[in-house]
Every structure is written in C-alpha cells, then in structure tokens.
Amino acid sequence: MVFARTCSVTLLGVDGVVVEVQADLEPGLAAFALVGLPDKSLSEARDRVRAAVVNSGEKWPQRKLTVGLSPASVPKSGSGFDLAVACAVLAAAERLDPSSIADLLIIGELGLDGRVRPVRGILPAVIAAAEAGYRQVVVAEQTAAEAALVPGVTVLGVRSLRQLVALLTGAPVPDETEPWSGGPAEPAQAALSGLRLPGSVLHGRPVESQPVLDLSDVVGQDTARRALEIAAAGGHHLYLKGPPGAGKTLLAERLPGLLPPLTQTEALEVTAVHSVAGLLPPDRPLIESPPYYAPHHSATMPAIVGGGSSQPRPGAVSLAHRGVLFLDEAPEFSVRVLDALRQPLESGEVTIARSAGTVRLPARFQLCLAANPCPCGRHSRRGGGCECTPTMVNRYQGRLSGPLLDRVDLQVEVEPVTRAELLGTLAHRETTEVVATRVRAARDRAATRYADTPWRTNAEVPGHTLRTRWRPDHGALTDAERDLERGLLTARGLDRVLRVAWTVADLSGHDQPTRFDVQTALMLRTGFVRGRPLIGATASCYEDPDTDLGAEP
C-alpha cells in the first residue's frame, strides 16, 4: 500500500474545517513534499515529523513522499497537523493498517522525540469534527478533557507517537514514564506550552478565577447601583460618567458577579474563543461563568477588535463574549477603536477581513464605559472648581461619538460620595448575592417569555418585535414618543428604551411595561425626569409607582 489517508482540522477564527491528510509514496529519490496551502509553521512539519518518526523507533520511508492537505484551496496553519501527517506516512509505508486511521480525526503537535504536544483550539476543532460526522478523535493527553466536552465523540488522549502506534497495531502500550530527552522529567510548563501564548493575556479573566467582589463595598450611588442591576438583568450596555473616586470602576468590576452562570451552549462558545486565543486554563477546560475584560486605554485596534498579520486572533470584544467588556477612562481610547465597537454592538459578531480570507468571531458582550466629565475630572452642573475651558470639555466628551452612545442603553451620572455616605454603616447596603437573586428571577421571566424564540434577554430582542408582538401597556410609550418627536431620542434610542422598560418590568414583576417602567428607562438613558435631573435621585424615586414622574415642570 503506497497511499493512506486520515483527517485533521484547521481553524478559521473559531470555526473548524475538516482537512483530509493524504500520504502517497512513489519510487524515486527520497524527498518529502507538503502541498495544500500550508503556512510557515506547517511547512516545518516535514522536519518535525521525520525526526519524531525516527526517534519513536520507526523507519522513515526512503522514497518520494507527497503529503496533500485537502481541500487545497483552504489555507492551513499551525502545528496541529503533525500527528496526522506522521500516521498517514506510517500507514502509506505499511507500518499501520490504513483502515485503522481512515475514520480517525487526529490533532497534535510532535516534538522531535516523538512526544505529542497540545495545541490551541481543540474545542472548536472537535466540534467541527463532530458536525462532520467523526466519532473518534485523537489528541494530546493534556487536552483530552477539553475535547471530551463535545458530546457524542470518543476521545483518545496520547502522550507520544509510540503510544498511538501501539494502540493502532494492538501492541503493548508504553506508559512513557521513562526520562525524556531533556532531563529527569518533562517539566509541566513544557508539556503545556502549546496551550498558552506569551504576551497574549489582557487584563481580564473568567469569573471563576476572580476574587469575590461584593456590591456592598460600594458606598452610596443608589441610582448607579440600580442601573447596574438593570444592566445585569437585561444584558444592557452601561455608561458611567462622573468625577474621579466616585466609584465607577468599583461598580463595573462588580457587574460580572451579578450575571447568572453560562448555559451549556454559552459555556462552549466562550471556551472555544479562549481556547483559540491560548487563554484557556489547563486545569479548567470549561469556562462556566461570564468573562470580564478591562483592556488598557492604550490598546490597539487588533487588541480590541481582533486581527493579526496572518491568522486573525480574537480581540477583547470576542474574549468578553457572553460577559463584560469594561473600558475605563473611555475617552482616552483611540476614537477609531471606540467607533469600531459600533458594528459588534449591533450584530454580536466581528468580521475581520485579510488578504488570505475573512473570518467571523463571536462578540456578544455587555459594554460598560466609564469616563470623567472633563480632562481635570471636576466638571459638573454644580461647578466644583473645574479649570477646563468649554472647548476642552466639549472636545473631551466628544471623543465618545453620538452613534456609539446611541447604542448604550443606560447612561448614568455618578456623583461624588458624601461624607455621611462614606462614614455611614453597612447595614443598608445590599450584597451581590441579594441583587443577583433578583437578576436571576428577572432573567427567568424573560427566558420564559422568549422560550420559542432565539433570544434569551431583553437586550437581544429587535425593537420591531417588542413593538408588535410584546406591546407595553396602553399609553406607556407616551413620554418616549414625545421625546422622539422633540429629537431627544432616535428611533434606535426608542427601541433601547423599550428594551430597558421590559427589564424594569421583569424586575418589578409586571406582565408588561407600564408608563412608570418606560419613564424609568427614559431616566436612565437621558438623565432627566420631566425636566428634573436624575443626579441625586434615589432608588425610591423610581421604585414607587405612585410618584408622579409624568408631570411637566
């Protein structure tokens, strides 16, 4: 037999494409050709595979060898094809039965000593294999737990090429506990080196690895705390504006703790992105809590949106998928970076185009912005000793464009903490656990309402659907319609007010939004209650349905 085939997977973003690895041996001078649009790291597989086969005790065929990767029109990258290429070569050389690898999908990098190294992106690769009908997958032992997350797939984790050859031929399987070529024992960091990329860590992490941050640590800020609860309950975007030291960052860091755990489908989506990015913790193959990422304001466009010179990598918007993306000191970010968020905020995904092709990455995140009112941070309606000129204030605030802010549902001013609040007792401050319970109840109400739809939170539902299928109370939109006529709201803004109103109704236990619920949503978007500023208002002003919020000044 001079021909053999098996399969592996190449990744385009977080989507896997099954690739058939074919090996053909012909008479002639010994040569090794690798065809099928391989990149530089994959082209180097010729040397890695040859050394691994020889050091595993097998004979390298001294004939003309051609390895083809099909479909040839799809670019392939990475070292994950090494193990599949080695098996195809050994089967073509009749060392293995070609039928034993024909239905296997094999992923793994080979060291020169024949040991199998882990590679990034195992979860999306195995998902692609399962969707293509493969039921047996071979991976490195270190990533077997990650691959086993995919239902309906049998996973075989191996430590070396010798082990895999023995399993396929029925020979005794070596345990590979003997010393490796580099010393008395293979270091754990070396064994896991393929899973993480140096310098790829942003300021962010899954909630499981975060210290517990409790909402009771936040002093005062009743209105901002209420907005935070509504944002968590409905999946809404949030903008916190106020002077330094008012508690904007404290509030934003406690938002992930209010979110419910990820569903199984969401957990697989988030884990797949982190696996491709090389940020998946080896000891925790499944991320079950919403991620939180807070990149520095000097971050570049590829760092936030994603990209790269050859193989696009997920950026912060994708790493925060199903979680929270917090941009502290938002006006300090590049204007181009901020405006690049507009498309993923609407579509829930980001499209990266390169000369080699286009990839789509998931990016359904909750955006939380925090900003000072001016460069010195002391500008307010009450004065406060601001030294900035009106031009400086307008230029600073204008760095957050109108189209971007129009996509942010909740826009709240955070006032400085008073001495009485700072030195008061903790008795009346609600904890994260108490607020998270209300958030889960509100999300359950929304999930029940949208059970026969693809949506689960109010922020995901199109405005047209809310206006036609799930109508608010009669007359509930009177104030919002008046603001739309006056030009205080855009059509998109009206839809977002309606989404927030549904979340307020879910938190209040209402079957549909009342006029009071819509007025609360308007307050948290515009900052005004019928001519009175929201600043200084307490939670009671929008929790008491008897308060006349509709009276004109």
Side-chain angles (χ1 to χ4, degrees):
M1 183 68 179
V2 295
F3 176 83
R5 57 171 294 277
T6 187
C7 286
S8 191
V9 174
T10 189
L11 292 176
L12 301 177
V14 293
D15 298 319
V17 177
V18 176
V19 174
E20 185 175 285
V21 180
Q22 305 168 340
D24 178 71
L25 284 173
E26 298 178 0
L29 293 176
F32 187 174
L34 182 62
V35 299
L37 285 184
D39 70 348
K40 178 64 175 176
S41 62
L42 182 51
S43 297
E44 293 173 348
R46 293 174 297 184
D47 299 319
R48 289 194 301 271
V49 170
R50 182 186 290 108
V53 169
V54 173
N55 290 328
S56 297
E58 304 295 337
K59 290 185 178 180
W60 185 258
Q62 298 300 315
R63 283 182 284 176
K64 182 180 178 181
L65 170 62
T66 303
V67 173
L69 307 176
S70 178
S73 59
V74 177
K76 291 88 176 175
S77 62
S79 57
F81 289 89
D82 290 3
L83 190 57
V85 170
C87 289
V89 170
L90 291 176
E94 299 182 340
R95 177 63 179 89
L96 297 176
D97 183 359
S99 62
S100 66
I101 63 171
D103 296 327
L104 287 181
L105 190 132
I106 306 173
I107 308 171
E109 175 187 330
L110 283 174
L112 299 184
D113 59 351
R115 290 182 180 268
V116 180
R117 303 287 187 178
V119 294
R120 296 177 290 115
I122 286 295
L123 180 59
V126 177
I127 291 176
E131 292 175 349
Y134 288 87
R135 293 295 173 260
Q136 289 184 305
V137 177
V138 179
V139 298
E141 186 179 55
Q142 297 92 330
T143 55
E146 181 183 346
L149 295 173
V150 182
V153 175
T154 302
V155 178
L156 175 62
V158 295
R159 297 181 181 179
S160 67
L161 178 60
R162 283 186 294 269
Q163 277 193 344
L164 182 56
V165 170
L167 288 169
L168 295 175
T169 58
V173 179
D175 58 9
E176 297 295 353
T177 57
E178 67 272 9
W180 72 306
S181 60
E186 184 175 24
Q189 291 183 349
L192 299 174
S193 59
L195 294 178
R196 302 185 70 86
L197 291 177
S200 62
V201 180
L202 292 167
H203 178 205
R205 62 275 183 203
V207 168
E208 298 100 319
S209 61
Q210 296 185 38
V212 177
L213 301 176
D214 201 281
L215 197 57
S216 62
D217 299 335
V218 180
V219 177
Q221 309 301 354
D222 293 330
T223 299
R225 289 166 63 101
R226 175 66 169 170
L228 199 72
E229 178 179 346
I230 294 173
H236 305 291
H237 307 303
L238 176 64
Y239 174 35
L240 301 171
K241 183 173 75 171
K248 305 184 295 294
T249 302
L250 282 176
L251 288 163
E253 289 177 339
R254 281 147 182 80
L255 178 56
L258 301 180
L259 301 178
L262 300 175
T263 64
Q264 182 68 17
T265 301
E266 293 171 343
L268 290 176
E269 293 175 2
V270 173
T271 303
V273 174
H274 283 72
S275 177
V276 170
L279 297 176
L280 188 63
D283 58 341
R284 189 168 52 252
L286 183 66
I287 297 176
E288 298 177 308
S289 297
Y292 169 82
Y293 280 87
H296 190 261
H297 58 73
S298 62
T300 61
M301 179 83 77
I304 299 296
V305 178
S309 58
S310 56
Q311 182 69 18
R313 284 168 48 189
V317 297
S318 296
L319 295 172
H321 179 61
R322 302 295 181 183
V324 177
L325 176 63
F326 176 44
L327 302 186
D328 200 4
E329 305 295 345
E332 301 295 339
F333 281 80
S334 165
V335 174
R336 292 180 60 250
V337 169
L338 291 173
D339 285 340
L341 299 176
R342 287 152 54 177
Q343 184 262 338
L345 284 176
E346 290 288 341
S347 63
E349 64 179 18
V350 59
T351 303
I352 302 174
R354 293 291 183 269
S355 59
T358 301
V359 299
R360 285 185 173 88
L361 299 170
R364 189 166 296 282
F365 57 93
Q366 271 188 261
L367 177 64
C368 184
L369 301 170
N372 294 326
C374 66
C376 77
R378 295 191 295 271
H379 177 76
S380 70
R381 295 185 180 92
R382 300 175 182 177
C386 176
E387 300 176 353
C388 303
T389 65
T391 301
M392 293 171 61
V393 174
N394 292 335
R395 184 184 298 116
Y396 187 80
Q397 295 181 355
R399 293 180 66 87
L400 299 179
S401 66
L404 174 63
L405 292 180
D406 197 39
R407 292 166 166 83
V408 180
D409 308 341
L410 305 169
Q411 303 178 23
V412 180
E413 293 209 31
V414 182
E415 281 293 285
V417 179
T418 65
R419 181 179 61 86
E421 291 172 332
L422 186 61
L423 302 179
T425 64
L426 300 176
H428 63 285
R429 300 183 198 167
E430 289 185 318
T431 64
T432 292
E433 183 179 359
V434 172
V435 178
T437 300
R438 292 200 297 267
V439 168
R440 285 193 294 270
R443 287 220 175 191
D444 289 342
R445 289 177 65 90
T448 301
R449 182 168 60 250
Y450 306 133
D452 59 341
T453 71
W455 313 300
R456 287 298 173 266
T457 62
N458 294 316
E460 300 174 7
V461 185
H464 174 75
T465 304
L466 289 178
R467 294 193 302 271
T468 55
R469 182 173 177 181
W470 290 289
R471 294 175 177 270
D473 249 354
H474 178 70
L477 290 176
T478 300
D479 301 286
E481 292 169 354
R482 185 184 302 131
D483 285 353
L484 181 64
E485 292 175 355
R486 293 174 176 174
L488 301 178
L489 278 181
T490 63
R492 180 193 289 118
L494 178 63
D495 288 344
R496 293 187 177 275
V497 165
L498 187 53
R499 294 171 183 170
V500 174
W502 267 106
T503 302
V504 176
D506 289 335
L507 287 167
S508 304
H510 299 161
D511 292 333
Q512 56 188 152
T514 63
R515 184 178 182 185
F516 174 77
D517 297 329
V518 175
Q519 289 172 340
T520 300
L522 281 170
M523 287 170 48
L524 295 173
R525 182 174 180 85
T526 64
F528 290 89
V529 186
R530 303 300 92 196
R532 287 179 289 132
L534 178 62
I535 300 175
T538 62
S540 61
C541 76
Y542 46 82
E543 290 174 351
D544 182 9
D546 294 330
T547 303
D548 185 9
L549 299 179
E552 295 290 345

